């Protein structure tokens, strides 16, 4: 039976992109705890919220997460939800306007590519609220751009991978390249060194987020190169990587797959670690909460303490003592971020 | 870096990968040679593949048998072929535009069918990747045990073997059967064929449907052969590559096969090299197979002689 | 003597009108069939189409969107149709479009201190050159070595698009910001100059082009221009100009229209177009008439590519003001149906581009109001194309022309030429 | 003798044309029937109706006494009707054997069995002197042999009726003789043969009965032997025809075209023109006689700059033009009338106007700095249409909608309206009815009178004789001899065309290269 990974109680706290991070945290925490008393979320009931998605809602990855976030809010707080799939960048602005005109109060653009459009429309409709994931705009009062703080996941997953691998070779199969991703990759390399100095981490890119066939080939290639741990971050591609891992395992060889973004364990229960969860529902819920509390817009980079990303179960796929090491690391970090050399970046 | 590349090129796994990457192209391209030879442009393979892919998933998912999945895939491919034939042969519409339209429609239709089949309830969303029974690898008894050759060629899923067989089969049909003769005649001089009582439209219909079936099979290879799932637009332009391979191979089964292998090899190689973490931007890696094909085409293959009635609808005048 | 019966004019008009009427009917038929699909999905087709229409033309916003969508399609459509009419079937408009966009952006973010009236044409020029460059490779191969262009243009698409993707990840020199990334200073390489990535952003995208390079907005023009002198006081005019949609609309569609006219002249009123069409219709006859076929093909490929490239610049300067991955996918491929449904005639191209633009604009509204998924929209689009192309095929124009000709020749008392000449001999 | 085929009241119309008008015809076993008529008389159309390529609008077809409905070629073949089309219906890349069995079930369906077929082809080859290599590919074969393949094709299909549509148009006198021998043999074996032609002599040589068509109607069916060529011609054209007419005598002027030791290759890269030399002067028509495919076409193209010379020189009005581009040569006021107006003479999808200026649109009088002046174009078009009497409702009409004769008039108008110094006319009357032919002749003579030098290539001896001042005969790329028209003897020329004889001032007809 899988050991439960530490799941911190979900509280909001925003971290503005500046040096004196800790100071703010303290302040914020107290504020929020008070606010928890009389629940502002009640106000959300019956509000209309729309999602603008870049791809198919059933890709089992990026867009499905956004959909889940919407559903989560509907079920918990009774928002009325709608979404648009395959929204091309050039159409996004008009789509958001259409939503705005048809009475939606919160509009949620899921992806960095909508930065310009969401900015523009947000200014056109100052009394509506706009959320953008992976955006960076920080000074439009009704626009909330949100990202996962970078580094934590990378480091911890790298640390885990270091303890998981037996061949001391770990390989990422990633959709496409962008700096945020690159940073996580580099951090994972550091994390890995920390747990297993003789282990090396490498990565390769599919070139797209929905080409399982190619992802599978990359994973196969990596495994043939002597890697025995694959970390999958290719959305729809992951199913391919997992396939490769399954096939490899048939030869009675030791191999593990570590999920990233979402728990892929259901694809191969005895090979796939839950890995790192980027919990978009929680992320978005946090933002919506701020909206409900009437906090002004800005750029919000959420780290582990907000519970919007965390470690999934290990499903007993690595030795218990190793599991414990990871758990200890996380607890140590949560207790005192400075005590572990995880370099978090809130500016990505 | 160099020795790494050499290492990759010398590895057996590369060549198994080449076979995998080549097969879908091979099936579609070879299966479409007849249609092309009869004078119909098969720019619509993309659509046929896509519906084949989804058909395979549906068949396999509903019946639980990958084999039935294959049948459904071929059926879907054939249907697309039929529609294409109506436009390209009977109506005589511009074949490239018709293909472009079909490819677009197939993108939508395939995902509609996928969702309608697997969505937990009407209007709901498929949150977890659907996984269905996929085709198992068949090891050919004796051949499979040959050291390198065996692992590379004879340790694959059945469709792959069918791909091998397709090369001689298509060649045989084309050059050793009366029907193949008709196909060639129709493509080169439909009027002559017509005057000796061959039904030009008939021949073209059949060839195009065959192209559909084979491309459907190629699609099935992607969804339940290589994997066990479906993705919107998972054919990812392979239909176009198959088309280039046909022209590249000058409509000769062997040449076409070589064309597909060339691309498959380049693709497999770039994927392998990526896994080595070389200091090459991956966009270049992705473009690599296309570059290789282009350069080989220009430098070694030279200009192609097209079937005389290529892409032209045929109708008797004066009727 | 050539005596025209008086009926000829309106007959000719009627005949010409079929060029437009038939596609229209065809499209209606397509919607009829799509209706079934929509019902199958559980939505009301009438509502869906109402939404579609509203999304395309219902509001000033909608019209503005339709217009922005239409502009690049006009260019790719013109690119394909000019090539096709001239025997150069350019499947590579997609790649040329992307390179054009890239070049325009690069100029727009590099020469930041030029005035607009210099910078905008400069961007357009760069785009045209980039597109032409990509197209002329197949052009040369076809003209000199006889390679079929369908294949070569198709292959080059992928290469061009990957180059585009790559350029978006190579940091670009920006004088206004200190060029360090994650406290690693960026090396000064040639790459810094061909790349366009925005250094300040963690995601692959170019910086926005400078204000000056953006196409002037219709609203601002109306405010400033001479028109304002005329109607400046008029109330309705104030309202009109104030409308956000008007402010959002740029010169792009007007420029597109201008190019439609230009291309009509190039095709039908200029020697370049004459030669090109001649080569397209029958290269042998063209050669026998003293036309240099290879040269014509090369020029054609240059023009076709340049048009596609311009399309890219129009999208950048007019709409998105930067390039990012998957920037306006398929604008190039859509150019093919746009061109052929448009009967390869510039005016026709504009109309079918309008149709495609409207479909794109309306499709989203349709999704929003009736939750019909995008996939259904794709099918509807496909059906529309299929029927339009089939419809365009029943070429009633020439059929009727022939029939009328038959009558007239009889009427004109066409007797065997023989009798006349006998006397002479 | 028993009746094999009977046609009753066959009517076939095309938009604007009545191709066949109540045609009755009856053919018996073992007879060779001639179908005579000028171009457009409806011969081919009639036979296409019999062979199922077209469906007659009305009328009955009886086969061996029973009425039959022939919907497609397959039906006709099944009945035992074989047809050799005017334009051969052979698939160039396929072999002879493959072409012969094309469309037939093989004994070992679905497998091809060529060996048996090849044997059979050789066999009947022996029998009827139809010798061909069954393994050869069609495109490698000369037309004469291709025709044999067509006949073999029909025989292999057990044809009882063999239709030959203008079989001799492409043959040398020698080949014609061989063909006749073959046909007689076939007739002896009981085959009925319909022999389409508009060459009177041939018809009288091979057929006993002749059916004459004019304007889609049957004029009469007569016995060949007791009808003179003159009478046949009269029936065919419907009026007196002057096979030879006298042209005004004009003294030749300066040398315009001078060709020295010229040689060139054809599209298959085989030597086509081999060391040819001659001169043409103002006010002079030099006729180039010869059977199709003996290098005349290539010669004309080289002079027009459309084909590169592999040796020798061409000079026009003293300037060497061997290396000049077509347009440069056009600019030197040289007119070229290509042999095939449908494919190289006209742009069928272009309007008449556009065709009329096809060679001159770039000249300053039609376009300024790249812009065509529509006004000037239309003016020019209207004038040309009037001068050359092109029958059309409007200049904006696409050329493909014109009748053959009028199409040729457009070509002539384009070429001759600029008073050229040199006219290269390559088979300008091919496929034209006699009226149009005479019109072309008239134009040639007028150009001659205006002082043009004219190179007149034709395969029809009559017109060469009647038109030329001097006649050069080409055989296998060489000039067998140049003779003055007045003292030309038709038999000598025939022999020169067949290559058995050379004479006259055959200036340097390149023995060294031959
Ligand atoms: N819709 C069309 N499709 C194809 N060709 C066209 C079309 N419209 C005009 N053309 C051709 O373009 C050329 C000039 O067209 P334009 O409309 O200026 O003249 P036009 O006389 O109206 O053309 P048309 O001959 O069609 O009447 C003509 O050769 C015409 O055949
Ligand atoms: N497919 C067609 N469409 C329209 N008109 C046609 C067609 N075929 C023939 N015609 C017309 O019908 C008439 C008869 O043509 P046909 O070819 O039968 O004459 P022909 O006697 O064979 O002439 P030729 O000696 O040139 O072969 C001609 O006026 C021709 O223009
Ligand atoms: Mg007009
Ligand atoms: Mg005929």
């Amino acid at each position: 039976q899988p050991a439960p990974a530490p799941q911190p109680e979900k509280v909001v706290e925003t971290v503005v992109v500046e040096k004196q991070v800790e100071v703010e945290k303290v302040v914020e925490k107290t504020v929020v705890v008070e606010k928890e008393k009389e629940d502002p979320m009640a106000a959300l009931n019956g509000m209309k919220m729309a999602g603008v998605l870049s791809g198919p809602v059933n890709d089992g990855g990026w867009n499905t997460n956004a959909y889940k976030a919407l559903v989560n809010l509907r079920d918990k707080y009774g928002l009325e939800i709608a979404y648009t799939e395959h929204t091309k960048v050039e159409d996004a602005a008009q789509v958001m306007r259409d939503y705005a005109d048809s009475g939606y109060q919160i509009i949620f653009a899921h992806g960095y590519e909508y930065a310009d459009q969401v900015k523009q429309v947000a200014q056109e409709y100052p009394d509506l609220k706009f959320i953008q994931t992976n955006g960076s705009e920080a000074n439009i009062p009704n626009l909330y751009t949100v990202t996962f703080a970078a580094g934590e996941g990378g480091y911890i997953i790298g640390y885990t991978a270091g303890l998981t691998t037996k061949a001391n070779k770990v390989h990422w199969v990633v959709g496409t390249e962008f700096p945020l991703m690159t940073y996580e990759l580099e951090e994972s390399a550091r994390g890995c060194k920390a747990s297993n100095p003789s282990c090396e981490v490498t990565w390769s890119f599919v070139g797209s987020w929905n080409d399982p066939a190619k992802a599978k080939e990359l994973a196969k290639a990596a495994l043939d190169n002597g890697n025995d741990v694959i970390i999958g971050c290719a959305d729809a591609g992951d199913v391919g990587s997992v396939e490769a891992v399954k096939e490899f395992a048939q030869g009675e060889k030791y191999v593990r797959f570590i999920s990233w973004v979402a728990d892929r364990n259901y694809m191969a229960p005895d090979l796939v670690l839950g890995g790192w969860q980027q919990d978009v529902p929680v992320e978005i819920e946090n933002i919506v909460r701020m909206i409900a509390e009437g906090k002004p817009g800005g750029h919000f980079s959420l780290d582990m303490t907000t519970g919007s990303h965390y470690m999934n179960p290990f499903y007993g796929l690595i030795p218990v003592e190793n599991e414990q090491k990871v758990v200890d690391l996380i607890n140590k970090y949560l207790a005192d971020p400075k005590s572990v050399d995880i370099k978090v970046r809130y500016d990505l | 870096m160099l020795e790494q590349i050499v290492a990759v090129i010398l590895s057996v796994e590369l060549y198994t990968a080449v076979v995998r990457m080549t097969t879908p192209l091979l099936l579609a391209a070879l299966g479409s040679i007849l249609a092309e030879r009869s004078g119909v442009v098969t720019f619509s393979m993309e659509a046929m593949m896509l519906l084949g892919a989804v058909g395979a998933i549906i068949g396999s998912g509903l019946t639980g048998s990958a084999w039935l999945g294959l049948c459904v895939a071929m059926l879907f491919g054939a249907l697309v072929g039929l529609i294409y034939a109506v436009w390209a042969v009977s109506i005589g519409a511009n074949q490239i535009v018709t293909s472009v339209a079909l490819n677009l429609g197939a993108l939508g239709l395939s995902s509609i069918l996928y969702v309608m089949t697997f969505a937990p309830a009407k209007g709901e969303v498929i949150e977890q990747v659907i996984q269905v029974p996929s085709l198992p690898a068949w090891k050919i008894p004796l051949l499979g045990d040959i050291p390198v050759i065996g692992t590379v060629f004879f340790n694959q899923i059945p469709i792959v073997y069918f791909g091998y067989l397709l090369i001689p089969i298509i060649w045989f049909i084309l050059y050793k059967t009366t029907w193949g003769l008709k196909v060639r005649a129709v493509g080169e001089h439909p009027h002559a064929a017509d005057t000796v009582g061959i039904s030009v439209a008939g021949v073209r219909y059949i060839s195009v449907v065959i192209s559909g079936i084979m491309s459907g099979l190629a699609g099935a290879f992607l969804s339940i052969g290589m994997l066990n799932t479906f993705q919107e637009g998972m054919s990812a332009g392979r239909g176009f590559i198959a088309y280039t391979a046909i022209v590249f191979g000058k409509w000769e089964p062997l040449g076409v096969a070589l064309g597909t292998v060339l691309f498959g090899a380049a693709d497999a190689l770039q994927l392998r090299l990526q896994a080595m973490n070389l200091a090459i931007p991956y966009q270049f890696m992705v473009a690599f197979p296309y570059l290789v094909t282009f350069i080989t085409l220009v430098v070694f293959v030279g200009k192609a002689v097209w079937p005389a009635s290529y892409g032209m609808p045929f109708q008797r005048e004066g009727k | 003597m050539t005596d025209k019966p008086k009926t000829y004019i309106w007959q000719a008009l009627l005949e010409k009108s079929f060029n437009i009427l038939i596609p229209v009917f065809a499209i209606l038929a397509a919607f009829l069939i799509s209706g079934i699909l929509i019902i199958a999905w559980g939505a009301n087709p009438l509502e869906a189409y109402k939404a579609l229409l509203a999304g395309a033309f219902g509001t000033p916003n909608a019209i503005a969107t339709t217009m922005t969508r239409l502009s690049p399609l006009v260019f790719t459509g013109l690119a394909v149709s000019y090539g096709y009419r001239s025997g150069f079937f350019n499947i590579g408009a997609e790649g040329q479009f992307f390179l054009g966009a890239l070049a325009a952006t690069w100029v727009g973010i590099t020469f930041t201190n030029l005035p607009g009236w210099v910078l905008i044409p400069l961007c357009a020029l760069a785009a045209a050159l980039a597109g032409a460059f990509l197209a002329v490779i197949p052009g040369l191969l076809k003209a000199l070595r006889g390679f079929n262009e369908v294949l070569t243009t198709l292959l080059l698409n992928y290469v061009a698009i990957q180059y585009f993707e790559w350029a978006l990840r190579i940091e670009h020199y920006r004088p206004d910001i200190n060029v360090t990334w994650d406290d690693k200073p960026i090396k000064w390489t040639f790459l810094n100059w061909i790349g366009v990535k925005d250094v300040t952003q963690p995601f692959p995208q170019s910086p926005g082009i400078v204000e000056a390079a953006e196409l002037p907005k219709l609203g601002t023009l109306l405010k400033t221009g001479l028109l304002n002198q005329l109607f400046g006081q008029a109330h309705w005019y104030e309202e009109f100009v104030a409308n956000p949609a008007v402010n959002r609309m740029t010169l792009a569609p007007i420029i597109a229209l201008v190019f439609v006219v230009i291309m009509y002249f190039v095709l039908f009123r200029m020697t370049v177009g004459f030669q090109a069409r001649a080569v397209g219709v029958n290269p042998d006859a063209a050669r026998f008439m003293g036309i240099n076929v290879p040269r014509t093909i090369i020029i054609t490929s240059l023009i076709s590519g340049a048009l596609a490239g311009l399309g890219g610049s129009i999208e950048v300067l007019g709409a998105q003001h930067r390039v990012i991955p998957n920037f306006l996918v398929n604008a190039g491929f859509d150019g093919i149906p746009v061109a052929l449904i448009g009967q390869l005639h510039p005016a026709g191209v504009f109309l079918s581009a309008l149709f495609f633009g409207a479909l794109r604009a309306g499709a989203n509204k349709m999704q929003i109001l009736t939750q019909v998924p995008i996939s259904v929209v794709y099918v509807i689009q496909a059906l529309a194309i299929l029927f339009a192309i089939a419809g365009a095929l029943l070429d009633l124009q020439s059929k009727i022309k022939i029939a009328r000709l038959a009558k007239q020749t009889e009427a004109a008392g066409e007797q065997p030429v023989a009798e006349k000449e006998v006397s002479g001999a | 003798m028993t009746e094999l085929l009977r046609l009753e009241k066959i009517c076939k119309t095309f938009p604007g044309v009545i191709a066949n008008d109540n045609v009755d015809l009856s053919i018996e076993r073992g007879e060779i029937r001639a179908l005579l008529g000028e171009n457009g008389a409806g011969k081919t159309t009639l036979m296409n109706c019999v062979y199922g390529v077209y469906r007659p609008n009305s009328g009955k077809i009886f086969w061996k006494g029973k009425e039959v409905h022939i919907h497609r070629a397959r039906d006709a073949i099944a009945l035992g009707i074989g047809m050799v089309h005017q334009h051969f219906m052979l698939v160039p890349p396929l072999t002879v054997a493959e072409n012969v069995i094309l469309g037939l079930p093989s004994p070992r369906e679905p497998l091809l069995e060529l060996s048996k077929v090849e044997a059979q082809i050789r066999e009947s080859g022996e029998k009827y002197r139809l010798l061909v290599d069954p393994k050869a590919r069609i495109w490698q074969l000369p037309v004469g042999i291709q025709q044999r393949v067509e006949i073999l094709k029909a025989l292999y299909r057990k044809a009882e009726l063999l239709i030959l549509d203008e079989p001799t148009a492409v043959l040398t006198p020698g080949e014609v003789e061989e063909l006749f021998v073959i046909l007689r043999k076939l007739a002896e074996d009981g085959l009925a043969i319909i022999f389409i032609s508009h060459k009177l002599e041939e018809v009288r040589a091979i057929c006993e009965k002749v059916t004459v068509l004019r304007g889609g109607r049957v004029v009469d069916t007569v016995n060949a032997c007791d009808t003179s060529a003159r009478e046949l011609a009269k029936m065919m054209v419907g009026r007196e025809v002057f096979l030879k007419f006298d042209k005004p005598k004009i003294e030749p002027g300066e040398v315009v075209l001078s060709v020295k030791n010229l040689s060139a290759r054809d599209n298959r890269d085989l030597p086509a023109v081999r060391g040819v030399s001659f001169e043409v002067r103002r006010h002079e028509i030099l006729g180039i006689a010869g059977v199709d495919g003996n290098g005349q076409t290539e010669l004309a193209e080289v002079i027009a700059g459309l084909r590169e010379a592999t040796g020798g020189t061409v000079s026009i009005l003293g300037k060497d033009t061997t290396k000049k581009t077509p347009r440069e040569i056009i600019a030197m006021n040289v007119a070229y009338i290509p042999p095939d107006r449908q494919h190289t003479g006209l742009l069928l999808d272009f309007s008449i106007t556009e065709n009329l200026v096809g060679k001159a649109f770039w000249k300053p009088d039609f376009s300024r700095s790249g812009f065509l002046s529509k006004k000037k174009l239309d003016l020019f078009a209207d004038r040309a249409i009037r001068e050359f009497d092109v029958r059309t409702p409007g200049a904006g009409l696409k050329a493909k909608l014109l009748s053959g004769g009028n199409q040729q008039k457009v070509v002539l108008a384009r070429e001759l309206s600029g008073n050229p110094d040199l006219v290269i006319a390559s088979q300008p009357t091919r496929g034209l009815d006699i009226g149009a032919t005479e019109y072309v002749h008239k134009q040639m003579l007028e150009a001659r009178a205006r002082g043009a030098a004219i190179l007149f290539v034709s395969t029809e001896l009559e017109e060469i004789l009647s038109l030329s001042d001097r006649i050069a005969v080409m055989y296998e790329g060489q000039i067998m001899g140049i003779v003055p028209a007045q003292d030309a003897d038709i038999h000598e020329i025939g022999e020169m065309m067949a290559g058995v004889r050379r004479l006259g001032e055959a200036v340097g007809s390149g023995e060294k290269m031959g």
Side-chain angles (χ1 to χ4, degrees), chain D residues 487-509:
Chain D
D487 48 39
D489 163 24
I490 189 156
H491 297 292
E492 280 177 13
I493 294 185
E495 283 169 351
M496 287 199 277
M497 284 168 72
V500 295
R501 177 193 242 266
R502 66 168 66 226
L503 56 73
E505 28 135 9
V507 196
S509 59

Side-chain angles (χ1 to χ4, degrees), chain C residues 416-419, chain D residues 10 12 17-25 34-44 46 196-198 210-221 230-241 433-435:
Chain C
V417 193
E419 269 75 347
Chain D
I10 296 293
K12 176 66 185 171
V17 195
I18 302 170
N20 293 134
D21 183 357
N22 287 312
V23 175
D24 296 338
L25 187 71
L35 209 54
L36 191 65
E38 57 178 325
N39 301 104
K43 309 183 292 293
T44 303
L46 183 63
I196 299 178
S197 170
H198 40 170
V210 182
T211 300
V212 184
L213 279 180
R214 186 172 75 232
R217 292 199 194 77
V218 175
V219 179
D220 194 2
T221 302
R230 187 68 173 265
E231 289 172 80
L232 284 176
K234 191 160 178 237
M235 286 197 231
M236 190 160 97
V237 187
R239 61 185 169 84
E240 281 299 327
V241 184
D433 59 36
I434 291 198

Side-chain angles (χ1 to χ4, degrees), chain D residues 8-9 17 21 90 116 145 164 199 201-202 238 255 263 341 344 390 442 462 475 508:
Chain D
E8 281 184 5
K9 305 234 169 310
V17 195
D21 183 357
L90 298 170
K116 271 214 185 67
I145 307 297
L164 298 157
K199 299 206 182 134
E201 295 310 327
E202 292 171 1
V255 171
S263 47
R341 67 175 162 273
T344 51
V390 181
K442 199 166 116 257
E462 287 82 2
Y475 174 74

Side-chain angles (χ1 to χ4, degrees), chain B residues 69-127:
Chain B
L70 274 190
C71 302
V72 181
M74 292 194 271
L75 180 70
F76 280 22
L79 287 176
V80 182
L82 206 59
I83 297 170
Y84 184 48
V86 171
W87 253 258
V89 179
S90 302
I91 298 180
N94 176 298
Q95 297 175 2
I96 300 242
V97 179
T98 309
S99 303
V100 171
L102 283 180
N103 296 341
L104 177 65
L107 185 62
L109 191 57
S110 57
S111 100
I112 292 174
L113 293 171
Y114 177 64
V115 173
M116 280 184 165
T117 317
F118 293 105
K122 195 157 180 9
E124 272 190 37
V125 165
I126 303 171
E127 294 189 5

